[in-house]
Amino acid sequence: MGEMRSVDLPGDVELAYTGRWVPSLRGQPFFKELDLTEVTDEILHEVGEMPWLTVLKCRGEFTDTGVEALRDLSGLIDLTLESPLLRGEFALPEADLRVVSLAGDRLGDRSFRMLGLHPELKVVRLTAGEAVGTGLGWLPPGLRMLYLRLPRLAPDALDVLSRMPYLSTLTFADTVPTLRLVSHLVRHAGQLTRVEFRGVEQPAPDLLRALAEAGIRVNADLQP
């Protein structure tokens, strides 16, 4: 991917592009969706001049400073930012975001605060190397789906699920289900109907049984 050729297109066409940034993307309003790799701060400044974007996915090595260049992308509904350099000290674009994915080894709980400023969010995916989960309380209560890859997750932090009455699907990545964690899920899950544990071995049958008795399904590959 990443190669572009000149073609004649109707005025109302909408396209998606996947690959590395190329300068010829500038000033092309028919590209509504970008899925970019090898992104840098310099590239983000270029992308920040494309206010017509609705979907933006950026993976690479860029900083909080670079992300600030995206503030004026008011048409975004789906945003992914993945960089090992992110610290979470930036503001998300001033847009009606529905889906946000953040990933970074340096992201901590304070980085979740920005998500609370977007009450219209329905799906949030968080991969944060420094977070223990205390920042989950900032997430908007209207969430439907939540994905967590938090290596340092403290089960007590899941008590905030009781403040997310519409949350139906919760996914954990590389988090081993324990009795303590499952107990918090059962006690505070609200409308939770599905929990997925990704990247872990088969848990003890009694843990799965506790979820099942609470009406919470787990991913099929973990079924006894």
Side-chain angles (χ1 to χ4, degrees), residues 78-199:
D78 188 338
L79 175 65
T80 294
L81 299 171
E82 298 183 8
S83 168
L85 306 180
L86 288 180
R87 294 185 177 275
E89 298 176 0
F90 56 84
L92 293 172
E94 298 179 359
D96 293 329
L97 291 163
R98 298 294 190 271
V99 181
V100 169
S101 300
L102 300 176
D105 296 338
R106 302 179 183 180
L107 290 177
D109 289 283
R110 290 184 61 188
S111 63
F112 302 167
R113 181 179 299 181
M114 69 183 83
L115 299 168
L117 301 177
H118 294 267
E120 67 281 357
L121 278 171
K122 298 296 182 287
V123 179
V124 168
R125 303 183 187 93
L126 296 170
T127 299
E130 297 296 324
V132 298
T134 56
L136 295 175
W138 281 310
L139 298 181
L143 280 185
R144 266 51 170 190
M145 299 177 65
L146 177 61
Y147 171 99
L148 298 175
R149 185 189 293 270
L150 308 182
R152 302 173 59 191
L153 176 65
D156 291 352
L158 297 176
D159 288 355
V160 300
L161 294 178
S162 60
R163 286 183 266 163
M164 301 178 190
Y166 304 105
L167 186 67
S168 61
T169 301
L170 176 59
T171 300
F172 296 96
D174 300 330
T175 295
V176 177
T178 62
L179 179 59
R180 185 180 174 195
L181 185 147
V182 169
S183 297
H184 280 279
L185 290 178
V186 171
R187 190 181 310 124
H188 302 289
Q191 299 300 310
L192 192 65
T193 59
R194 182 175 180 82
V195 172
E196 297 189 358
F197 294 97
R198 299 297 182 184

Side-chain angles (χ1 to χ4, degrees), residues 28 32 45 59 65 89 105 108 114 133 155 189 205:
Q28 304 291 349
K32 301 294 187 182
H45 279 81
R59 300 174 179 86
T65 301
E89 298 176 0
D105 296 338
M114 69 183 83

Side-chain angles (χ1 to χ4, degrees), residues 17-38:
Y17 172 85
T18 300
R20 291 179 295 179
W21 171 263
V22 289
S24 52
L25 286 168
R26 297 193 198 102
Q28 304 291 349
F30 45 82
F31 280 105
K32 301 294 187 182
E33 302 182 15
L34 296 182
D35 188 342
L36 301 175
T37 59
E38 301 182 31

Side-chain angles (χ1 to χ4, degrees), residues 54-76:
T54 58
V55 177
L56 176 61
K57 300 180 180 182
C58 297
R59 300 174 179 86
E61 294 192 358
F62 49 87
T63 68
D64 292 16
T65 301
V67 174
E68 289 288 353
L70 306 177
R71 288 293 302 275
D72 294 333
L73 299 186
S74 58
L76 284 181

